[in-house]
Short mmCIF file of all heavy atoms in Angstrom, two decimals:
data_model
loop_
_atom_site.label_atom_id
_atom_site.label_comp_id
_atom_site.label_asym_id
_atom_site.label_seq_id
_atom_site.Cartn_x
_atom_site.Cartn_y
_atom_site.Cartn_z
N ILE A 147 7.50 5.23 -5.64
CA ILE A 147 7.40 4.12 -6.58
C ILE A 147 6.32 3.16 -6.04
O ILE A 147 6.36 2.79 -4.85
CB ILE A 147 8.72 3.38 -6.76
CG1 ILE A 147 9.84 4.31 -7.22
CG2 ILE A 147 8.58 2.24 -7.75
CD1 ILE A 147 11.18 3.66 -7.46
N THR A 148 5.37 2.78 -6.89
CA THR A 148 4.26 2.00 -6.38
C THR A 148 3.97 0.76 -7.25
O THR A 148 4.35 0.71 -8.43
CB THR A 148 2.97 2.89 -6.36
OG1 THR A 148 2.79 3.46 -7.64
CG2 THR A 148 3.09 3.97 -5.33
N PRO A 149 3.25 -0.21 -6.69
CA PRO A 149 2.91 -1.45 -7.43
C PRO A 149 1.58 -1.32 -8.16
O PRO A 149 0.96 -0.27 -8.13
CB PRO A 149 2.79 -2.46 -6.29
CG PRO A 149 2.22 -1.68 -5.15
CD PRO A 149 2.78 -0.28 -5.29
N PHE A 150 1.16 -2.42 -8.79
CA PHE A 150 0.00 -2.35 -9.68
C PHE A 150 -1.31 -2.40 -8.93
O PHE A 150 -2.35 -2.01 -9.49
CB PHE A 150 0.06 -3.51 -10.68
CG PHE A 150 -0.24 -4.87 -10.08
CD1 PHE A 150 -1.55 -5.28 -9.92
CD2 PHE A 150 0.78 -5.70 -9.65
CE1 PHE A 150 -1.85 -6.51 -9.37
CE2 PHE A 150 0.52 -6.94 -9.09
CZ PHE A 150 -0.81 -7.32 -8.94
N ASN A 151 -1.34 -2.92 -7.69
CA ASN A 151 -2.64 -3.34 -7.16
C ASN A 151 -3.56 -2.23 -6.64
O ASN A 151 -4.77 -2.39 -6.65
CB ASN A 151 -2.44 -4.47 -6.12
CG ASN A 151 -1.60 -4.06 -4.97
OD1 ASN A 151 -0.91 -3.03 -5.00
ND2 ASN A 151 -1.59 -4.88 -3.91
N LEU A 156 -2.42 3.93 -3.07
CA LEU A 156 -1.03 3.77 -2.59
C LEU A 156 -0.18 5.01 -2.97
O LEU A 156 0.54 5.55 -2.14
CB LEU A 156 -0.41 2.48 -3.11
CG LEU A 156 -0.95 1.21 -2.45
CD1 LEU A 156 -0.25 -0.03 -3.01
CD2 LEU A 156 -0.79 1.24 -0.94
N LYS A 174 6.89 7.33 -9.92
CA LYS A 174 6.98 6.30 -10.96
C LYS A 174 5.94 5.20 -10.66
O LYS A 174 6.07 4.39 -9.74
CB LYS A 174 8.38 5.64 -10.96
CG LYS A 174 8.61 4.91 -12.28
CD LYS A 174 9.39 3.62 -12.15
CE LYS A 174 8.60 2.40 -11.84
NZ LYS A 174 7.58 1.90 -12.77
N PRO A 175 4.84 5.20 -11.45
CA PRO A 175 3.81 4.20 -11.22
C PRO A 175 4.22 2.84 -11.78
O PRO A 175 5.19 2.77 -12.57
CB PRO A 175 2.61 4.76 -12.00
CG PRO A 175 3.19 5.63 -13.07
CD PRO A 175 4.52 6.12 -12.57
N ALA A 176 3.50 1.80 -11.44
CA ALA A 176 3.79 0.46 -11.96
C ALA A 176 3.51 0.45 -13.48
O ALA A 176 2.57 1.11 -13.94
CB ALA A 176 2.90 -0.58 -11.28
N SER A 177 4.29 -0.31 -14.22
CA SER A 177 4.12 -0.31 -15.70
C SER A 177 2.82 -0.93 -16.14
O SER A 177 2.32 -0.65 -17.20
CB SER A 177 5.26 -1.09 -16.35
OG SER A 177 6.47 -0.38 -16.09
N GLY A 205 7.59 4.02 -16.75
CA GLY A 205 8.84 3.51 -17.30
C GLY A 205 9.24 2.28 -16.55
O GLY A 205 8.76 2.04 -15.42
N SER A 206 10.09 1.46 -17.15
CA SER A 206 10.50 0.22 -16.51
C SER A 206 11.23 0.51 -15.19
O SER A 206 12.21 1.23 -15.15
CB SER A 206 11.41 -0.56 -17.46
OG SER A 206 12.27 -1.38 -16.70
N GLY A 207 10.71 -0.08 -14.14
CA GLY A 207 11.33 0.13 -12.82
C GLY A 207 12.79 -0.32 -12.83
O GLY A 207 13.65 0.35 -12.26
N ALA A 208 13.05 -1.45 -13.49
CA ALA A 208 14.40 -1.99 -13.52
C ALA A 208 15.34 -1.01 -14.23
O ALA A 208 16.50 -0.91 -13.89
CB ALA A 208 14.40 -3.34 -14.22
N GLY A 211 14.26 2.99 -12.01
CA GLY A 211 13.94 3.08 -10.59
C GLY A 211 15.18 3.33 -9.70
O GLY A 211 15.21 4.26 -8.89
N GLU A 212 16.18 2.47 -9.85
CA GLU A 212 17.34 2.60 -8.98
C GLU A 212 18.17 3.86 -9.27
O GLU A 212 18.73 4.50 -8.41
CB GLU A 212 18.23 1.38 -9.09
CG GLU A 212 17.65 0.18 -8.31
CD GLU A 212 18.15 -1.14 -8.82
OE1 GLU A 212 19.22 -1.58 -8.36
OE2 GLU A 212 17.50 -1.73 -9.72
N PHE A 225 8.67 3.59 -1.17
CA PHE A 225 8.42 2.51 -2.10
C PHE A 225 7.40 1.57 -1.53
O PHE A 225 7.45 1.18 -0.36
CB PHE A 225 9.74 1.74 -2.35
CG PHE A 225 9.57 0.46 -3.14
CD1 PHE A 225 9.38 0.51 -4.53
CD2 PHE A 225 9.56 -0.78 -2.52
CE1 PHE A 225 9.20 -0.67 -5.25
CE2 PHE A 225 9.37 -1.96 -3.24
CZ PHE A 225 9.20 -1.89 -4.62
N THR A 226 6.48 1.15 -2.38
CA THR A 226 5.59 0.01 -2.07
C THR A 226 5.72 -0.99 -3.19
O THR A 226 5.62 -0.64 -4.35
CB THR A 226 4.12 0.48 -1.92
OG1 THR A 226 4.05 1.47 -0.89
CG2 THR A 226 3.22 -0.67 -1.54
N GLY A 227 5.95 -2.24 -2.82
CA GLY A 227 6.11 -3.28 -3.84
C GLY A 227 6.70 -4.53 -3.22
O GLY A 227 6.58 -4.75 -2.00
N SER A 228 7.34 -5.32 -4.06
CA SER A 228 7.82 -6.62 -3.55
C SER A 228 9.09 -6.45 -2.72
O SER A 228 9.84 -5.46 -2.83
CB SER A 228 8.15 -7.50 -4.76
OG SER A 228 9.14 -6.90 -5.55
N VAL A 231 12.46 -6.13 -4.80
CA VAL A 231 12.80 -4.79 -5.34
C VAL A 231 13.10 -3.83 -4.18
O VAL A 231 14.03 -3.03 -4.26
CB VAL A 231 11.62 -4.25 -6.20
CG1 VAL A 231 11.88 -2.83 -6.61
CG2 VAL A 231 11.45 -5.12 -7.47
N GLU A 247 7.35 -0.44 1.94
CA GLU A 247 6.09 -1.17 2.27
C GLU A 247 6.06 -2.39 1.38
O GLU A 247 5.78 -2.28 0.17
CB GLU A 247 4.87 -0.28 2.01
CG GLU A 247 4.87 1.05 2.77
CD GLU A 247 4.69 0.85 4.27
OE1 GLU A 247 4.16 -0.18 4.69
OE2 GLU A 247 5.11 1.74 5.02
N LEU A 248 6.36 -3.55 1.93
CA LEU A 248 6.67 -4.71 1.08
C LEU A 248 5.59 -5.82 1.24
O LEU A 248 4.52 -5.58 1.71
CB LEU A 248 8.07 -5.22 1.38
CG LEU A 248 9.14 -4.10 1.34
CD1 LEU A 248 10.51 -4.64 1.74
CD2 LEU A 248 9.21 -3.42 -0.02
N GLY A 249 5.98 -7.04 0.89
CA GLY A 249 5.02 -8.11 0.78
C GLY A 249 4.74 -8.85 2.10
O GLY A 249 5.26 -8.46 3.16
N CYS A 281 -1.39 -6.94 -0.35
CA CYS A 281 -0.19 -7.31 0.47
C CYS A 281 -0.61 -7.96 1.78
O CYS A 281 0.16 -8.75 2.34
CB CYS A 281 0.65 -6.08 0.73
SG CYS A 281 -0.31 -4.68 1.29
N GLU A 375 4.78 -15.33 -0.66
CA GLU A 375 3.57 -14.50 -0.84
C GLU A 375 2.80 -15.02 -2.01
O GLU A 375 3.30 -15.01 -3.15
CB GLU A 375 4.00 -13.04 -1.08
CG GLU A 375 2.84 -12.13 -1.31
CD GLU A 375 3.27 -10.67 -1.44
OE1 GLU A 375 4.31 -10.40 -2.07
OE2 GLU A 375 2.54 -9.81 -0.90
N PHE A 377 -0.26 -14.05 -3.41
CA PHE A 377 -0.82 -13.02 -4.28
C PHE A 377 -1.83 -13.63 -5.26
O PHE A 377 -1.77 -13.39 -6.47
CB PHE A 377 0.28 -12.27 -5.01
CG PHE A 377 0.23 -10.78 -4.77
CD1 PHE A 377 0.15 -10.30 -3.48
CD2 PHE A 377 0.25 -9.84 -5.81
CE1 PHE A 377 0.10 -8.91 -3.21
CE2 PHE A 377 0.19 -8.46 -5.57
CZ PHE A 377 0.10 -8.00 -4.27
N LEU A 403 3.67 -8.34 8.35
CA LEU A 403 2.95 -7.10 8.05
C LEU A 403 1.76 -6.93 9.04
O LEU A 403 1.85 -6.14 9.95
CB LEU A 403 2.50 -7.14 6.59
CG LEU A 403 2.16 -5.84 5.87
CD1 LEU A 403 3.15 -4.75 6.13
CD2 LEU A 403 2.06 -6.08 4.36
N TYR A 442 0.83 2.10 9.35
CA TYR A 442 0.76 0.85 8.62
C TYR A 442 2.15 0.52 8.03
O TYR A 442 2.77 1.37 7.39
CB TYR A 442 -0.27 0.96 7.49
CG TYR A 442 -0.33 -0.24 6.59
CD1 TYR A 442 -0.90 -1.42 7.02
CD2 TYR A 442 0.19 -0.18 5.30
CE1 TYR A 442 -0.93 -2.54 6.22
CE2 TYR A 442 0.14 -1.30 4.49
CZ TYR A 442 -0.41 -2.48 4.96
OH TYR A 442 -0.45 -3.56 4.17
P1 NAP B 501 7.08 -4.94 -7.90
O1 NAP B 501 7.35 -5.87 -9.00
O2 NAP B 501 8.02 -4.90 -6.76
O3 NAP B 501 6.92 -3.50 -8.54
C1 NAP B 501 6.63 -2.37 -7.75
C2 NAP B 501 7.18 -1.13 -8.41
O4 NAP B 501 8.61 -1.21 -8.41
C3 NAP B 501 6.78 -0.95 -9.86
O5 NAP B 501 6.57 0.38 -10.14
C4 NAP B 501 8.00 -1.49 -10.65
O6 NAP B 501 8.14 -1.00 -11.92
C5 NAP B 501 9.10 -0.98 -9.72
N1 NAP B 501 10.38 -1.67 -9.92
C6 NAP B 501 10.63 -2.89 -10.42
N2 NAP B 501 11.97 -3.14 -10.41
C7 NAP B 501 12.56 -2.06 -9.87
C8 NAP B 501 13.91 -1.71 -9.58
N3 NAP B 501 14.93 -2.53 -9.84
N4 NAP B 501 14.16 -0.50 -9.02
C9 NAP B 501 13.16 0.33 -8.73
N5 NAP B 501 11.85 0.08 -9.01
C10 NAP B 501 11.57 -1.12 -9.56
O7 NAP B 501 5.63 -5.25 -7.25
P2 NAP B 501 4.25 -5.51 -7.99
O8 NAP B 501 4.25 -6.89 -8.58
O9 NAP B 501 3.83 -4.36 -8.84
O10 NAP B 501 3.25 -5.49 -6.72
C11 NAP B 501 3.12 -6.56 -5.86
C12 NAP B 501 3.96 -6.42 -4.62
O11 NAP B 501 3.65 -5.21 -3.93
C13 NAP B 501 3.65 -7.52 -3.63
O12 NAP B 501 4.82 -8.04 -3.07
C14 NAP B 501 2.81 -6.82 -2.56
O13 NAP B 501 2.83 -7.41 -1.30
C15 NAP B 501 3.45 -5.48 -2.54
N6 NAP B 501 2.56 -4.52 -1.91
C16 NAP B 501 2.84 -4.07 -0.67
C17 NAP B 501 1.97 -3.16 -0.04
C18 NAP B 501 2.27 -2.65 1.34
O14 NAP B 501 1.68 -1.62 1.69
N7 NAP B 501 3.09 -3.29 2.14
C19 NAP B 501 0.82 -2.74 -0.71
C20 NAP B 501 0.58 -3.22 -1.96
C21 NAP B 501 1.44 -4.10 -2.59
P3 NAP B 501 7.64 -1.87 -13.16
O15 NAP B 501 6.16 -1.99 -13.00
O16 NAP B 501 8.10 -1.08 -14.34
O17 NAP B 501 8.32 -3.20 -13.07
#
Side-chain angles (χ1 to χ4, degrees):
I147 303 183
T148 53
F150 73 84
N151 59 347
L156 288 180
K174 197 217 86 65
S177 295
S206 153
E212 283 157 87
F225 172 77
T226 301
S228 61
V231 173
E247 302 292 337
L248 310 176
C281 48
E375 179 175 39
F377 236 51
L403 201 45
Y442 176 72

